[in-house]
Structures are given as C-alpha cells and as structure tokens.
Amino acid sequence: MSEKIGLIAGRGQFPLLFAQAARNQGFQVIAVAHRGETDPALEPLAARLHWVYVGQLGKIIRIFKNEGVQRAVLAGGISRGRLFTQFRPDLRALNLIRRVGGGQDDRLLRAVAGELEEEGILIAPSTLFLEELLAPPGRLSRRAPTPEELQDMEFGYQVAKEIGRLDIGQCVVVRRQVVVALEAVEGTDETIRRGGRLAGPGAVVVKVSKPQQDLRFDVPAVGLETIQALVEVKAGALAVDAGKCLMFNREEMLQEADRAGIAVWGV
Amino acid sequence: MSEKIGLIAGRGQFPLLFAQAARNQGFQVIAVAHRGETDPALEPLAARLHWVYVGQLGKIIRIFKNEGVQRAVLAGGISRGRLFTQFRPDLRALNLIRRVGGGQDDRLLRAVAGELEEEGILIAPSTLFLEELLAPPGRLSRRAPTPEELQDMEFGYQVAKEIGRLDIGQCVVVRRQVVVALEAVEGTDETIRRGGRLAGPGAVVVKVSKPQQDLRFDVPAVGLETIQALVEVKAGALAVDAGKCLMFNREEMLQEADRAGIAVWGV
C-alpha cells in the first residue's frame, strides 16, 4: 500500500495543489479540512477528508493517529480574522494557547507542529512536492520593470523584510519610495487593493518571505488573484521573493500580467 | 504691531487649534491653506489666508516673504494619497524632490523646512502654543484598561515604534498579542476601522510618535473622530504616546469614550 501523508488544510489553492502533487507521486492524502476556510474541491483529491472547526487541535491529532499518519504538512493559512470570530479551540488547543500565550503566527504554528511531533507525527515542509512552483529570480513577465520600479522594488523589499521580521505581514505596496500600504491580518489581495487605490496607477507590490521563515508552514504565495488585484487598481509591477515564494497557476498568472502590461520580477 | 507667525496648514483641526491658540496669545496668523485639504473654517481665525495647491512650495515662500513672516509652523498633514493623485509641484518643489529623491515623510518635510529656513523663515514646533494639549500619562477615561488590554498596549507600542522608526505609520491595531492592522498612507481612522472589523469587538488601538519624531512637524494627534472610529468597530481601548501625542477636544473625546466603555490610556 502507498504511504500516507497527512494534510492539515487551510484556505486557498495551496492544499489542492499539494494534494494533487502528492497523489501524482503515489501518496495517499489524509486531509483535515477547516470549516469555512478550506475549499471543498479538496475532497476528491484526498484519499480521505475530515472536516474540523478552526481550533480543534486534539481532534486533528486523533484523526491522524486513527489513520496511522506519521508525516503531515500544513498547507494554506487560516484567515487570522477567523481566529477571533469563529474559533472553537478544544482542550488541547486551549492548553497550547495558554502555554504559548497566543499571539504571533510563527510561534503558534511552531507550537502546533511541536504538539503533533510529540505524538509521533512529523511535520514536513509544505513545499515537499511543489519545489518546481517556487518563483525563479529575474524577469518573469514580458515587460521588464523600469529603473524606477526596480528602485521601488528594492526599497519595498527591505521594508517587507522588516515587517516580516516582526512576524506581521509579508506584503507592501510602494510608490516612489513611499510605503503606501502594509499587510497585517487583512491579507495580500486586500493590501494590494488598498495600496493601489491610494497610490493611483503605477504602484509597485512586493511580496516576500519572512527572514526567519520556517518553510514547514506559511510559505508566501502569489497566484492569479494576486495579479487580478494588481490589474484592478492599475498597479505597475509585482516583485516576489525568488526561491522562497510559491507561484500558483504561473502560466495564467503571467498571461494576465502581460495582458495588463504588468512587470513581474523575482528579487 | 503684534508679531506675525506663518502657518502652513494641512488637513484636520490641528491648523484651526494652532491658529486659535496663536491668536489668543496675541499673534497675527498668516496662513497658507492647501486646496482640497485644509478646512476653510481656518479663514476667520487667520489674519490673512492664502490658498495654494499641494506642491506649490515656491509660492508659499513668496507669500511669507511678501508678508514679512520670519517664523512659521507646519500643522496638519497632507493626505499622502494626494501627493500621488493631485500634486502640482512648482519648480522649487520639483528641484527639492529631485534632490531629496522623494520618498518618506520626514526626509521630505525636513527638506521643506530647510528650504524655508534658507530663505530666513524659521520653522518652529507646531506644538508651540499647544503644549497643554499633549496627552498625559496614565488613565484618562473612567474605565482603566484590563490587564489583557495593558499587555496588548505594551506589545502594540513596541510594534508601532518599529513601524515609526521605518517612517511608515504611527498606528497599530492589536488583539491578543496579534497585530491586526498597521497604518501606512490610509491614515489612522481607516486603520482603526479595518483592524477593528477584522479583530471583532475588543481590539486595542495604539497611536505613538515616531522614535525619531521631529516635533516641528507631523505630531501625532487623536481626537473625537479617533474615538468615533473605535466606537464604530466596538474596539476596547486606546493607548496614546504620553507627552508626544496631541489630544484634540479632550473633554468630548473622553465623554464619548466613557459612554462606550472604552479605556483611554497614556503610555
């Protein structure tokens, strides 16, 4: 029988891509999907899928133990907004939060990973079967960035790394060396829309990984919706952290960028 | 004849309060007001008021020289959004931008102040006649912050200082040790509304001065609208940088906060 791999699925297409890639490589995907977050389209890609509420850590562990899962990945974030409004922590999660003191992403995720590993379930990097999706360096779109855009990318990159170092967000919108918008809980697309509207046409969007990023979780990603958000506000260019940022639907993404004359660049 | 004081007025009530206070102390206020930004209610408070477009630096200097102004203040910001969308730099402003390289608030403002001082117009701190408006430390509202809110204030204070150090924004919204929203160009009230909506009831808002803040310009300020934004999203508490943050309409502000059970605290 083929090896089982656990998938703790959050929102977006990342879990779907992971499940597809794992299956293509002959793994049986045992998925735990979060109600209100995970795309139900994951269901047919998994060998088995179990729905949980955000916060049911004890239940995730029981599911994996019952299924005999020994290795799992976390793919796709949980809207941090949901952690405040629709959070149903079970006893195990409550104990963890009490110990870790709640708070920032990485610390919490590292603690969650620790709990699973204590139970003999190893957490693997979520890029395990997806390395070919990491953004390459240099020009990716038909149009290259202008010297002014490159300067804004460099400036935005430094700021984004600082914000990332504080474990807050990974996206900034820049225009003429001014930071127009910073990401926190609202997410990348919302940040792009806000910044783009404030800056007017020609804004530069920079998305990076945190300097201390643990690739086991929360790998930054861009996709078609990212470009669509740029198009919506007539932004000029997108810079992504080469080798550290996943590009979903790269073909369609770049076609859409080319249609709109947007420069996409791996920093 | 009473001494003239120049007022380069941006948006909001800060220029109005400054003009009122200067007049009360026997000064003649020569105001330069920015179209689309400055409240026309400034007009009756000034001895003379001249309208300019955002970016007309040369014109401001000519106005002050013609009026014989030797000391001026900058009060009230310019929506940074306007710098991208409705900016009409004159030759003097263009030269300055070319030299400074555009960009961040402080550097640009410092350069503007430098241009004025070169022409013999000294830039005074905008708090000149308004020191009594600076927020005092400790409890300001009827309700004191809860221990959890105090913890969030302390955490938010540190983050806000980091963001301020990068010269980006001065306001953060925090909930249970998570940064929910960071201010950039959108302004404080918009940041509070976004963060409050994402965090749900009970968010903590922290507004600070930048560590390197030059009190000659861009003094952080809170007012009735700040509290109204908190009320709108059912935020729980507001922390302000004591001694470094102006409180406008303090009485009404605190009455409104008390009505809503909001804790206001000088950090």
Side-chain angles (χ1 to χ4, degrees), chain B residues 2-263:
Chain B
S2 59
E3 196 196 326
K4 283 180 177 172
I5 184 125
L7 166 60
I8 302 175
R11 68 175 184 282
Q13 34 185 345
F14 193 0
L16 309 183
L17 289 165
F18 176 86
Q20 184 66 65
R23 206 163 71 153
N24 289 349
Q25 293 180 45
F27 286 81
Q28 266 197 77
V29 177
I30 309 299
V32 172
H34 287 88
R35 285 177 204 276
E37 290 286 296
T38 309
D39 187 338
L42 180 61
E43 196 127 25
L45 299 172
R48 259 182 310 289
L49 181 138
H50 306 264
W51 287 99
V52 300
Y53 288 98
V54 172
Q56 295 188 303
L57 177 58
K59 188 167 175 185
I60 293 175
I61 290 169
R62 280 197 304 280
I63 290 167
F64 283 164
K65 294 191 93 165
N66 289 341
E67 291 273 11
V69 166
Q70 293 181 333
R71 195 159 63 134
V73 304
L74 294 103
I78 299 293
S79 320
R80 278 196 278 184
R82 201 167 298 274
L83 291 178
F84 302 115
T85 53
Q86 276 181 277
F87 187 44
R88 301 200 193 181
D90 58 23
L91 199 61
R92 184 111 192 195
L94 277 176
N95 281 333
L96 177 141
I97 291 164
R98 196 164 302 132
R99 211 177 58 241
V100 181
Q104 291 165 281
D105 257 18
D106 269 8
R107 202 163 45 144
L108 205 57
L109 282 168
R110 207 163 272 131
V112 166
E115 291 281 303
L116 287 153
E117 299 199 328
E118 251 175 47
E119 301 284 346
I121 302 155
L122 200 81
I123 301 298
S126 47
T127 50
L128 192 58
F129 308 119
L130 298 170
E131 304 250 303
E132 81 279 9
L133 294 185
L134 291 172
R139 183 165 68 90
L140 299 168
S141 55
R142 212 157 46 212
R143 180 167 84 74
T146 64
E148 205 193 27
E149 283 170 343
L150 272 175
Q151 215 183 351
D152 275 347
M153 285 177 181
E154 205 174 301
F155 170 68
Y157 185 84
Q158 285 163 20
V159 171
K161 287 284 178 183
E162 293 276 342
I163 306 303
R165 190 178 53 75
L166 298 169
D167 196 11
I168 297 172
Q170 306 173 304
C171 177
V172 303
V173 181
V174 173
R175 179 86 195 278
R176 296 186 195 141
Q177 313 283 300
V178 171
V179 175
V180 184
L182 286 176
E183 179 188 24
V185 165
E186 71 278 32
T188 296
D189 295 353
E190 164 63 19
T191 306
I192 294 170
R193 286 197 189 92
R194 180 175 76 248
R197 271 193 295 265
L198 287 164
V204 171
V205 176
V206 184
K207 172 108 184 190
V208 304
S209 76
K210 292 175 276 198
Q212 74 285 12
Q213 191 111 34
D214 187 331
L215 286 179
R216 289 183 304 162
F217 19 81
D218 197 24
V219 186
V222 292
L224 195 53
E225 315 80 62
T226 318
I227 291 291
Q228 282 160 349
L230 270 97
V231 171
E232 211 177 284
V233 294
K234 299 189 169 56
L238 171 68
V240 294
D241 210 345
K244 289 175 187 161
C245 187
L246 292 166
M247 290 182 83
F248 297 147
N249 308 106
R250 192 184 306 187
E251 288 283 296
E252 293 101 304
M253 224 190 116
L254 295 176
Q255 270 166 23
E256 184 84 5
D258 287 340
R259 254 196 301 276
I262 290 169

Side-chain angles (χ1 to χ4, degrees), chain A residues 202-214:
Chain A
V204 171
V205 176
V206 184
K207 172 110 184 188
V208 304
S209 75
K210 291 176 275 197
Q212 74 285 13
Q213 192 111 34
D214 186 332

Side-chain angles (χ1 to χ4, degrees), chain A residues 45-253:
Chain A
L45 299 172
R48 258 180 312 286
L49 182 139
H50 306 263
W51 287 99
V52 299
Y53 288 98
V54 172
Q56 295 188 302
L57 177 58
K59 188 166 173 186
I60 293 176
I61 290 170
R62 280 196 305 279
I63 290 168
F64 283 164
K65 294 192 94 163
N66 289 342
E67 291 272 11
V69 166
Q70 292 181 336
R71 196 158 63 134
V73 303
L74 293 102
I78 299 294
S79 319
R80 276 196 277 183
R82 199 167 298 273
L83 291 178
F84 301 116
T85 53
Q86 278 181 276
F87 187 43
R88 301 202 193 180
D90 58 22
L91 199 62
R92 184 113 193 194
L94 277 176
N95 282 334
L96 179 140
I97 291 164
R98 196 164 303 134
R99 211 177 57 241
V100 182
Q104 292 165 279
D105 258 17
D106 269 8
R107 204 165 40 145
L108 205 57
L109 281 169
R110 207 162 273 132
V112 166
E115 292 282 302
L116 286 154
E117 299 199 327
E118 252 176 44
E119 301 285 344
I121 302 155
L122 200 82
I123 300 298
S126 47
T127 50
L128 191 59
F129 308 119
L130 298 169
E131 303 248 304
E132 80 278 11
L133 295 185
L134 291 172
R139 182 165 69 89
L140 299 167
S141 55
R142 213 157 45 212
R143 179 167 85 72
T146 64
E148 204 192 28
E149 283 170 344
L150 271 175
Q151 216 182 349
D152 275 347
M153 285 177 180
E154 205 173 300
F155 169 68
Y157 185 85
Q158 284 162 21
V159 171
K161 286 284 178 183
E162 293 276 342
I163 305 303
R165 189 179 53 74
L166 299 169
D167 196 10
I168 297 172
Q170 307 173 304
C171 178
V172 303
V173 181
V174 173
R175 177 86 195 279
R176 296 184 195 140
Q177 313 283 300
V178 171
V179 175
V180 184
L182 286 177
E183 180 188 24
V185 165
E186 71 278 30
T188 296
D189 295 353
E190 163 63 19
T191 305
I192 294 170
R193 286 197 190 92
R194 181 174 76 249
R197 271 193 295 265
L198 287 164
V204 171
V205 176
V206 184
K207 172 110 184 188
V208 304
S209 75
K210 291 176 275 197
Q212 74 285 13
Q213 192 111 34
D214 186 332
L215 286 179
R216 289 183 305 163
F217 19 79
D218 196 26
V219 187
V222 292
L224 195 53
E225 315 81 60
T226 317
I227 291 291
Q228 282 161 348
L230 270 96
V231 170
E232 211 178 283
V233 294
K234 299 187 168 58
L238 171 68
V240 294
D241 210 346
K244 290 175 187 161
C245 187
L246 293 166
M247 290 181 82
F248 296 146
N249 308 105
R250 193 185 304 188
E251 288 282 295
E252 292 101 305
M253 225 190 117

